[in-house]
């Protein structure tokens, strides 16, 4: 990379040009003032960032030593908790308090519904996600396994269509019932609802309805092939679906240098300006996709009303760990990437706050930044202070920048109330994440013993306590009606019947959002929020005592394990296949998130969290002698052939099995396992970045 001087910083030339030429015009900021402000923020916070990472390392060393000195002894939970308190891993609970974020959009505060997560490097995916605010229920049911069977032939299958229509009208009967009769019997005209307030008006001939603050549009079109056969002319049922979307700079992208960061920032800029577009070929035709406009309808009093046509967009910055070569500090070191993200993504959001299309995204004038992988309240307080400084630099009112706290690290889970308190005036989101949280569980307690098999983790005592405490503490801190309490991803985009059966558990838990892998999944998951009154459920759960901290701190070691050789091999193969299947796309193709076949050829939406849990699990079993280095290498070689076969149809794919030593992807996977114990918190980013940069250097 070539660099230019900006104040006291050396900035990659392409990043500096992008910010000066594309980001700053229209924001009211001059380039000199921007770079002076950025340099001051780095000077103030980069040393503190390093200190926080050093604290992580010291705490881990002390925890490792505690377990090592008690090897073979019966685990004493009281002594363990006392030790964690002594070293500052556990902090005192704050006095009861209530969060006070102001100007939070309804999609996060008062409406419950699905949330998409989309890699920011892919413009087409970003547009699909932003436009997934509305989706066809008929299409989602017809084209997936949500209903038994499948369509016969390529033409419309009227028998499957009839099942789809019956299912959709049953949902209408439940969510927006007629005063008498059913939607299947309705023949048209003005509907008389059991609750007349649920019918808001018409969009042309279409009915605009509302239930649980989610809107439904019943499409009336007697000229449509479906509408022509319907007694009322109903051609479709459109659901308000992905009410919010996280545009991800972190786990679902492979961004390792200035070129990658510029592409990511450019896509975020297009979203904030409203002019993002992508042209591609589909079915032989050239298509240009843009952001949808808002949707209009006429209320009963004749006034024109609008509903949002796009998902409310959040941006997930990277965490505190990584640095980036896109900006070099005065001492020559790389700048903390999370601080750079905070500065640049917030500056870009000025186009939504102040530009000609102000309010296109946030109608309340806020910017929503999700912050991942923070360890405990000190790191949350650090983020709060960085956001204060960015607001001052940009001339924004205090707490314009809202924060989402990912509850995915063990020290955050154990101190969740204190973490929320550290950002209580800007919090808009807490969320659980099983995979990263389990990866940190394994790494933190690496010396405690061999962990249970990965599939058995979800039955561990700490998991239930983790999921319950997240909701219970969030409610106790007053998040209901002010911020999101979220749950994790449904990872199987082709298994919608299973999702319909299982993911209703998330709104039933009191979570007012949960992640979905696709716009189609968002439509189907939206039906759960019509079936469950989430805010009533939150009111019920507020009366519950908070689940035990001791249960949360229970370590999932496999006491008295006696796994057979076949079981150990099966576990190794499963983990190795998952690691290789993801890493080969990340390192060789720069794909940070995609549908990766698992060992049983089930497509899973994978990001780095999957890699973290799998690599840490094998590293744990190696350390405790459950398996050997030779066994792991044999599993990697077996699974390299499997992954090669699964990707045989991809012309850009580089095989691993014929020459594993020459494959950077294979070597990266191996390093993640064998150097897994040495990786900070078990994170995969440092090694992935190193191998991806090495591959990029090869291609120059």
């Amino acid at each position: 990379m070539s660099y230019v001087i900006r104040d006291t910083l050396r900035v990659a030339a392409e990043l500096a040009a992008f910010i000066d030429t594309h980001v700053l015009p229209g924001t009211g900021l001059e380039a000199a003032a921007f770079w002076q402000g950025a340099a001051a923020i780095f000077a103030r916070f980069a040393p503190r960032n390093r200190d926080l990472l050093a604290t992580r390392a010291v705490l881990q060393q002390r925890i490792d030593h505690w377990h090592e000195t008690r090897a073979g002894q019966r685990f004493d939970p009281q002594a363990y908790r006392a030790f964690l308190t002594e070293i500052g891993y556990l902090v005192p609970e704050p006095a009861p308090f209530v969060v006070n974020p102001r100007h939070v959009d309804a999609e996060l505060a008062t409406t419950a519904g699905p949330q998409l997560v989309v890699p920011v490097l892919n413009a087409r995916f970003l547009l699909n996600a932003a436009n997934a605010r509305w989706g066809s229920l008929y299409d989602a049911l017809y084209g997936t396994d949500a209903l038994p069977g499948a369509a016969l032939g390529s033409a419309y299958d009227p028998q499957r269509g009839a099942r789809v229509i019956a299912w959709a009208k049953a949902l209408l009967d439940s969510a927006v019932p007629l005063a008498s009769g059913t939607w299947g019997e309705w023949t048209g005209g003005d509907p008389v609802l059991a609750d007349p307030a649920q019918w808001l008006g018409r969009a042309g001939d279409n009915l605009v309805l509302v239930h649980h603050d989610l809107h439904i549009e019943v499409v009336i079109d007697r000229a449509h092939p479906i509408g022509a056969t319907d007694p009322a002319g109903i051609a479709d049922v459109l659901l308000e679906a992905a009410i919010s979307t996280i545009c991800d700079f972190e786990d679902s992208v492979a961004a390792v240098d200035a070129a990658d960061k510029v592409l990511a920032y450019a896509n975020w800029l297009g979203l904030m300006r409203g002019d993002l577009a992508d042209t591609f070929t589909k079915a032989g035709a050239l298509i240009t996709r843009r952001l949808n406009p808002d949707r209009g309808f006429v209320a009963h009093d004749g006034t024109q009303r609008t509903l949002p046509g796009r998902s409310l967009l959040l941006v997930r910055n990277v965490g505190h760990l990584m640095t980036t070569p896109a900006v070099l500090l005065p001492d020559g070191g790389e700048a903390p990437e999370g601080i750079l993200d905070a500065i640049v993504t917030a500056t870009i959001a000025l186009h939504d706050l102040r530009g000609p299309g102000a309010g296109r995204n946030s109608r309340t004038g806020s910017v929503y930044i999700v912050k991942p992988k923070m360890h405990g309240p000190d790191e949350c307080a650090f983020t709060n202070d960085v956001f204060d400084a960015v607001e001052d630099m940009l001339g924004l009112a205090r707490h314009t920048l809202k924060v989402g706290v990912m509850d995915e690290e063990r020290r955050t889970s154990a101190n969740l109330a204190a973490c929320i308190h550290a950002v209580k005036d800007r919090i808009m989101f807490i969320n659980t994440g099983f995979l990263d949280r389990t990866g940190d569980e394994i790494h933190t307690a690496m010396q405690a013993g061999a962990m249970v098999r990965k599939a058995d983790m979800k039955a561990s005592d700490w998991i239930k306590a983790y999921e319950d405490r997240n909701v219970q503490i969030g409610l106790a801190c007053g998040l209901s009606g002010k911020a999101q309490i979220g749950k994790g991803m449904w990872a199987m985009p082709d298994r919608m019947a299973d999702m319909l059966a299982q993911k209703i558990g998330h709104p039933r838990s009191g979570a007012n959002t949960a992640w979905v892998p696709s716009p189609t999944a968002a439509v189907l998951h939206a039906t759960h929020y019509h079936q469950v009154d989430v805010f009533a459920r939150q009111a019920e759960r507020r009366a519950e005592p908070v689940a035990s901290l001791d249960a949360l701190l229970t370590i999932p070691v496999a006491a008295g394990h006696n796994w057979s050789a076949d079981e150990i091999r099966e576990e190794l193969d499963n983990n190795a296949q998952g690691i290789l299947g993801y890493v080969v796309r990340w390192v060789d193709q720069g794909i940070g998130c995609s549908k990766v076949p698992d060992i049983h050829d089930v497509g899973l939406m994978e990001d780095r969290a999957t890699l973290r849990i799998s690599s840490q699990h094998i590293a744990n079993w190696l350390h405790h002698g459950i398996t050997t280095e030779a066994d792991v290498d044999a599993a990697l070689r077996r699974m390299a052939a499997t992954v090669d076969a699964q990707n045989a149809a991809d012309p850009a794919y580089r095989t691993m099995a014929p020459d594993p030593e020459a494959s950077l992807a294979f070597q990266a996977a191996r390093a993640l396992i064998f150097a897994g114990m040495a990786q900070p918190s078990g994170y995969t980013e440092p090694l992935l970045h190193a191998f991806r940069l090495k591959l990029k250097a090869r291609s120059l």
Side-chain angles (χ1 to χ4, degrees):
M1 285 182 287
S2 60
Y3 290 89
V4 295
I5 302 299
R6 292 290 186 270
D7 202 82
T8 62
L9 305 171
R10 292 174 62 207
V11 182
E14 57 194 308
L15 176 61
F18 169 73
I19 289 175
D20 293 349
T21 305
H22 298 285
V23 173
L24 296 180
T27 65
L29 297 174
E30 297 296 330
F34 171 86
W35 290 111
Q36 182 182 40
I41 288 174
F42 282 121
R44 178 181 171 191
F45 290 103
R48 189 169 156 196
N49 199 133
R50 288 192 291 268
D51 289 345
L52 289 169
L53 297 179
T55 297
R56 290 185 191 179
V58 169
L59 288 173
Q60 186 61 58
Q61 290 167 4
R62 297 190 69 176
I63 292 170
D64 286 344
H65 179 71
W66 192 88
H67 287 302
E68 288 167 349
T69 59
R70 287 159 179 79
Q73 299 179 23
R74 183 181 180 86
F75 180 72
D76 183 342
Q78 285 72 38
Y80 182 54
R81 183 169 172 175
F83 162 71
L84 294 179
T85 302
E86 176 191 336
I87 66 173
Y89 186 96
L90 294 177
V91 303
E93 285 283 299
F97 69 96
V98 175
V99 300
N100 187 37
R102 302 179 61 200
H103 310 301
V104 178
D105 283 271
E107 290 90 338
L108 307 180
T110 58
T111 305
Q115 187 168 73
L116 280 168
V117 184
V118 60
V120 76
L121 290 176
N122 191 308
R124 182 176 174 181
F125 290 177
L126 283 170
L127 290 162
N128 289 346
N131 292 339
R133 179 67 176 250
W134 292 83
S136 164
L137 180 58
Y138 279 13
D139 286 351
L141 292 168
Y142 187 89
T144 70
D145 74 341
L147 297 181
L152 298 177
S154 57
Y156 177 68
D157 178 353
Q159 288 187 334
R160 182 164 183 80
R163 290 195 294 272
V164 165
I165 292 166
W167 199 100
K169 290 186 176 181
L171 178 72
L172 295 179
D173 288 335
S174 172
V176 284
L178 298 169
S180 63
T182 68
W183 282 95
E185 299 163 339
W186 185 61
T187 57
D190 287 347
V192 180
L193 301 186
D195 179 0
Q198 289 189 284
W199 180 26
L200 302 183
R202 286 189 184 267
D205 292 331
N206 299 350
L207 308 178
V208 180
L209 312 172
V210 66
H211 178 244
H212 289 170
D213 288 328
L214 291 174
H215 296 90
I216 302 169
E217 188 168 326
V218 179
V219 178
I220 308 296
D221 184 357
R222 295 186 182 275
H224 188 277
I226 305 301
T229 64
D230 187 89
I234 297 176
D236 204 348
V237 175
L238 306 181
L239 297 185
E240 195 173 17
I243 60 172
S244 60
T245 289
I246 297 174
C247 305
D248 189 26
F249 280 72
E250 196 229 5
D251 265 1
S252 68
V253 300
V256 300
D257 56 20
D260 294 335
K261 296 299 287 187
V262 167
L263 175 57
Y265 293 142
N267 283 342
W268 177 241
L269 177 63
L271 291 171
M272 292 296 96
R273 288 195 311 214
D275 59 5
L276 184 66
D278 190 49
T279 300
F280 54 92
T281 301
K282 185 174 182 179
L286 200 63
I287 296 173
T288 296
R289 187 157 293 161
R290 295 182 173 84
L291 292 167
N292 285 342
D294 286 340
R295 303 172 71 87
F297 71 97
V298 179
H300 297 302
D301 61 4
T303 59
Q304 293 284 337
R305 308 285 179 87
T306 59
L307 295 173
R310 298 166 304 283
S311 189
L312 179 72
L313 302 176
L314 294 64
V315 59
R316 182 162 68 169
N317 290 178
V318 304
H320 297 326
L321 174 67
M322 296 302 292
T323 59
T324 175
V327 175
L328 301 182
L329 302 177
D331 64 3
E334 294 183 355
E337 189 175 1
I339 297 177
L340 179 66
D341 276 355
I343 294 168
V344 179
T345 59
T347 302
I348 287 170
L350 293 178
H351 290 275
D352 182 59
L353 300 180
R354 299 173 179 168
R360 180 183 294 105
N361 184 49
S362 172
R363 292 173 298 284
T364 63
S366 290
V367 180
Y368 301 105
I369 302 175
V370 177
K371 193 67 180 178
K373 296 182 173 59
M374 293 189 290
H375 292 238
D378 287 348
E379 296 196 9
C380 292
F382 173 74
T383 292
N384 190 67
D385 292 346
V386 170
F387 284 13
D388 278 353
V390 173
E391 287 166 345
D392 292 343
M393 169 189 167
L394 300 180
L396 295 173
R398 183 63 76 236
H399 305 137
T400 297
L401 305 183
K402 304 298 189 292
V403 69
V405 175
M406 297 287 295
D407 178 8
E408 57 187 354
E409 306 299 326
R410 194 170 186 260
R411 186 151 51 111
T412 292
S413 300
N415 300 284
L416 184 57
C419 290
I420 294 172
H421 187 268
V423 291
K424 64 183 178 63
D425 294 321
R426 67 169 82 247
I427 193 163
M428 55 84 184
F429 165 117
I430 59 173
N431 184 292
T432 55
F434 164 75
L435 295 175
D436 260 312
R437 179 64 181 79
T438 305
D440 195 48
E441 184 75 24
I442 297 170
H443 188 86
T444 302
M446 182 67 71
Q447 301 295 342
M451 297 292 162
V452 300
R453 295 184 67 176
K454 194 169 70 173
D456 295 332
M457 279 288 180
K458 288 191 175 181
S460 299
D461 290 343
W462 73 267
I463 285 282
K464 185 177 189 311
Y466 165 59
E467 295 288 356
D468 282 342
R469 283 171 57 88
N470 180 270
V471 175
Q472 292 159 343
I473 292 171
L475 294 175
C477 295
L479 266 68
S480 183
K482 297 180 180 180
Q484 282 185 330
I485 298 175
K487 295 296 180 186
M489 178 66 76
W490 178 263
M492 296 177 284
D494 298 327
R495 299 210 168 173
M496 293 293 96
D498 289 341
M499 189 194 79
L500 279 176
Q502 297 176 38
K503 203 168 175 67
I504 194 170
H506 284 155
R508 284 175 177 164
S509 76
N512 52 319
T513 196
W515 288 359
V516 287
S518 68
T520 296
V523 173
L524 294 172
H525 185 41
T527 66
H528 292 145
Y529 297 89
H530 289 289
Q531 296 171 53
V532 179
D533 185 341
V534 173
F535 293 100
R537 180 66 181 127
Q538 289 184 347
E540 294 171 352
R541 295 209 71 182
R542 269 198 295 268
E544 296 176 1
V546 174
S548 163
L549 177 59
D550 287 335
L552 180 78
L553 296 175
T554 302
I555 300 170
V557 292
H561 56 79
N562 57 348
W563 297 302
S564 69
D566 286 344
E567 287 173 321
I568 293 170
R569 175 178 167 136
E570 178 184 61
E571 188 73 14
L572 289 179
D573 283 355
N574 181 47
N575 279 324
Q577 188 275 340
I579 293 169
L580 288 164
Y582 179 74
V583 169
V584 71
R585 296 184 183 184
W586 210 101
V587 171
D588 285 354
Q589 299 184 40
I591 297 173
C593 181
S594 61
K595 188 167 67 174
V596 178
D598 72 2
I599 199 167
H600 304 295
D601 290 321
V602 175
L604 302 178
M605 291 301 293
E606 303 282 32
D607 67 9
R608 276 197 304 249
T610 304
L611 191 59
R612 186 181 182 193
I613 182 176
S614 297
S615 58
Q616 286 299 296
H617 195 272
I618 298 180
N620 173 266
W621 275 22
L622 269 170
H623 181 64
H624 292 284
I626 305 301
T627 188
T628 67
E629 183 172 333
D631 289 338
V632 173
D633 271 327
L636 286 168
R637 289 175 182 272
R638 282 195 304 273
M639 292 302 105
T642 297
V643 172
D644 287 351
Q646 290 173 326
N647 287 274
D650 180 358
Y653 183 79
R654 296 184 178 97
T655 58
M656 297 179 287
D659 191 356
E661 284 69 28
S663 168
L664 286 176
F666 185 92
Q667 295 305 319
R670 193 176 186 281
L672 286 165
I673 295 167
F674 291 111
M677 286 181 58
Q679 297 310 296
S681 305
Y683 290 133
T684 61
E685 292 94 310
L687 287 170
L688 286 176
H689 279 231
F691 278 94
R692 175 69 181 156
L693 286 167
K694 189 178 292 187
L695 185 133
K696 279 192 161 190
R698 276 187 182 179
S699 62
L700 292 177

